[in-house]
Amino acid sequence: MAGVLDRRGFLKASAAFATGVAGLSCVEVARAATIEIPTVDKLSVRVLIDSSHDQFLKPSTVQGVVHQPPGNGRGSDYRKVLHNQWGLSLFVESQRADEARTILLDFGYSPDALLNNIDILKVDPAKLDALIVSHGHHDHYGGLTGFLDQYRDKLAPDVKLYAGGEDNFCHRVSPSGVQGQFTDFGQLDRRELAARRITTVLCETPTVVAGHAFTTGQIKRSSIERILPNTFVQRGITDGLGCDATHYSAAELEGKIIPDEHVHEHATCFNIKDKGLVVISSCGHVGIVNSVRQAQEVSGVRKVHAIVGGFHLGPAPKDYLGQVVAEIKKLEPDVVIPMHCSGLNFALEAQAQMPANILVTTTGSRVTFGA
């Protein structure tokens, strides 16, 4: 697999954009330079969208990580309540001395849920310093354009969207249950982003975001983990919609429908002073252990304070799930916070193997690190 990732490395990306989509004003490519990893004093993650809401959750502290539950989830109008859906969106605030930064990581499946929950939870989009999309699945970018329609004029004129790579813009389809037939799963449209004055930065290499966070860049596949079946991908551009097929290897020719290897997926990370890394893997298709190892390699920080987000282990067979949780345990995280596609099976297995390290959240929760 390492050879495949090499072929899709930064130099090829640069060459592709020099002759292809670089002409689109909404795209930048992060440079392959060594980055200086920032350290922050405090980090707060507000769960804007996840799959469930539990008003009976109690406040808790696990290994120094503070969880503030969402309460009843109602707005000032009792008829409005938090919306849950298959997707994820996180409002992330960090603090370093007197310097504050705010990032919106992923946008859920639909804008109605995102806009509803922003209103109820009273978070302020005008504070945003950056936007990040973890990967090109609709349940992570589906609310983006609707969010921009509502709030673009309140955002900084030069606000940017950080994405893992060109593959974010590819057309994705799902198996239909009939051999050789697929159902549409959409694609992120760079034309819509350009129309809303959003520049996309393709972070195939590690990238510092808003001076406080960093992304992993492409994630190496070095653990026992494997990609569990999910979407397929079709590469090519028609009328500006799609992804540049020259960016990929000969085995992934334009127009072919092939299994999705998620070469563009990246994790968002923070280094908390005196605590270690917080690694946020929105879906973890390429493996949550791989994602954490990549964060450690990029940052040079070995201590893992928290592993947060979707781990895509809901469809995992029991024996494989047990192996992956055992590998997570070897990373010695202070706390593991499963969300979205991690699965109830993961939560139960992790509780069994790591009972002192699991923190459960729902839509509306706030989790604070370095409090």
Side-chain angles (χ1 to χ4, degrees), residues 240-252:
L241 181 64
C243 59
D244 182 7
T246 65
H247 190 58
Y248 304 98
S249 68
E252 300 164 338

Side-chain angles (χ1 to χ4, degrees), residues 54 56-71 335-337 351 355-362 365-369 371:
D54 185 347
F56 297 124
L57 281 180
K58 303 298 184 187
S60 60
T61 300
V62 177
Q63 305 295 339
V65 177
V66 177
H67 174 223
Q68 176 186 337
V335 66
V336 176
I337 308 175
Q351 287 277 11
N357 307 96
I358 305 303
L359 196 161
V360 175
T361 63
T362 70
S365 289
R366 185 198 302 273
V367 183
T368 304
F369 309 89

Side-chain angles (χ1 to χ4, degrees), residues 262-300:
H262 302 284
V263 296
H264 65 299
E265 185 176 20
H266 62 168
T268 300
C269 312
F270 292 83
N271 183 33
I272 312 297
K273 183 179 179 181
D274 300 326
K275 298 287 186 180
L277 296 175
V278 174
V279 180
I280 306 174
S281 170
S282 296
C283 228
H285 291 284
V286 298
I288 186 57
V289 175
N290 286 331
S291 301
V292 174
R293 287 179 178 177
Q294 183 77 13
Q296 290 174 315
E297 179 179 332
V298 165
S299 65

Side-chain angles (χ1 to χ4, degrees), residues 280-346:
I280 306 174
S281 170
S282 296
C283 228
H285 291 284
V286 298
I288 186 57
V289 175
N290 286 331
S291 301
V292 174
R293 287 179 178 177
Q294 183 77 13
Q296 290 174 315
E297 179 179 332
V298 165
S299 65
V301 178
R302 304 306 302 173
K303 175 58 184 171
V304 180
H305 184 41
I307 305 173
V308 183
F311 309 149
H312 203 70
L313 289 164
K318 183 173 178 55
D319 57 344
Y320 173 68
L321 179 64
Q323 291 176 324
V324 173
V325 173
E327 291 299 308
I328 293 172
K329 186 175 181 180
K330 291 177 184 177
L331 295 168
E332 299 182 335
D334 293 327
V335 66
V336 176
I337 308 175
M339 300 174 181
H340 183 39
C341 55
S342 300
L344 177 61
N345 55 342
F346 172 84

Side-chain angles (χ1 to χ4, degrees), residues 18 60 69 79 137 143 161 179 209 212 219 241 260 267 321 338 367:
S60 60
R79 291 165 294 190
H137 273 172
L161 174 69
Q179 183 68 30
V209 178
H212 281 197
I219 297 170
L241 181 64
D260 200 343
L321 179 64
V367 183

Side-chain angles (χ1 to χ4, degrees), residues 11-333:
L11 294 178
K12 185 163 185 176
S14 299
F17 285 114
T19 59
V21 297
L24 296 168
S25 61
C26 67
V27 172
E28 295 179 2
V29 180
R31 298 304 170 194
T34 300
I35 63 172
E36 183 175 345
I37 300 300
T39 298
V40 300
D41 299 319
K42 184 178 179 180
L43 177 68
S44 171
V45 176
R46 192 68 179 265
V47 185
L48 294 185
I49 293 177
D50 202 346
S51 301
S52 66
H53 164 239
D54 185 347
Q55 71 175 16
F56 297 124
L57 281 180
K58 303 298 184 187
S60 60
T61 300
V62 177
Q63 305 295 339
V65 177
V66 177
H67 174 223
Q68 176 186 337
N72 62 31
R74 293 194 291 267
S76 55
D77 179 345
Y78 74 91
R79 291 165 294 190
K80 292 188 65 176
V81 70
L82 290 173
H83 288 184
N84 308 294
Q85 60 181 200
W86 187 257
L88 191 67
S89 180
L90 304 175
F91 192 83
V92 183
E93 300 172 280
S94 55
Q95 189 83 27
R96 181 172 59 198
D98 295 330
E99 180 183 76
R101 293 289 185 268
T102 306
I103 293 169
L104 184 55
L105 170 58
D106 286 347
F107 310 90
Y109 203 103
S110 65
D112 59 335
L114 181 59
L115 297 177
N116 176 79
N117 292 2
I118 285 173
D119 179 59
I120 288 176
L121 295 172
K122 303 302 181 188
V123 299
D124 184 4
K127 295 171 58 178
L128 290 170
D129 297 289
L131 311 172
I132 301 178
V133 61
S134 61
H135 65 298
H137 273 172
H138 190 85
D139 51 323
H140 293 262
Y141 70 76
L144 174 56
T145 54
F147 167 80
L148 292 172
D149 288 341
Q150 179 74 20
Y151 289 110
R152 180 62 184 95
D153 290 341
K154 295 184 179 181
L155 304 178
D158 60 348
V159 71
K160 295 180 180 180
L161 174 69
Y162 293 82
E166 171 67 7
D167 209 45
N168 277 276
F169 300 108
C170 294
H171 181 215
R172 286 180 162 79
V173 296
S174 298
S176 67
V178 178
Q179 183 68 30
Q181 296 183 19
F182 302 90
T183 58
D184 187 19
F185 196 45
Q187 58 199 122
L188 183 59
D189 191 339
R190 71 177 92 232
R191 301 170 305 181
E192 293 183 348
L193 297 174
R196 290 160 178 81
R197 310 185 310 281
I198 294 294
T199 297
T200 303
V201 181
L202 300 183
C203 308
E204 297 193 345
T205 58
T207 304
V208 172
V209 178
H212 281 197
F214 68 97
T215 65
T216 56
Q218 286 187 359
I219 297 170
K220 296 176 183 176
R221 326 298 171 91
S222 60
S223 73
I224 64 166
E225 296 166 299
R226 61 181 184 266
I227 294 178
L228 299 177
N230 55 91
T231 53
F232 285 67
V233 64
Q234 186 175 25
R235 298 193 166 99
I237 296 180
T238 302
D239 297 328
L241 181 64
C243 59
D244 182 7
T246 65
H247 190 58
Y248 304 98
S249 68
E252 300 164 338
L253 296 175
E254 181 173 354
K256 300 285 187 181
I257 295 178
I258 59 174
D260 200 343
E261 292 289 332
H262 302 284
V263 296
H264 65 299
E265 185 176 20
H266 62 168
T268 300
C269 312
F270 292 83
N271 183 33
I272 312 297
K273 183 179 179 181
D274 300 326
K275 298 287 186 180
L277 296 175
V278 174
V279 180
I280 306 174
S281 170
S282 296
C283 228
H285 291 284
V286 298
I288 186 57
V289 175
N290 286 331
S291 301
V292 174
R293 287 179 178 177
Q294 183 77 13
Q296 290 174 315
E297 179 179 332
V298 165
S299 65
V301 178
R302 304 306 302 173
K303 175 58 184 171
V304 180
H305 184 41
I307 305 173
V308 183
F311 309 149
H312 203 70
L313 289 164
K318 183 173 178 55
D319 57 344
Y320 173 68
L321 179 64
Q323 291 176 324
V324 173
V325 173
E327 291 299 308
I328 293 172
K329 186 175 181 180
K330 291 177 184 177
L331 295 168
E332 299 182 335

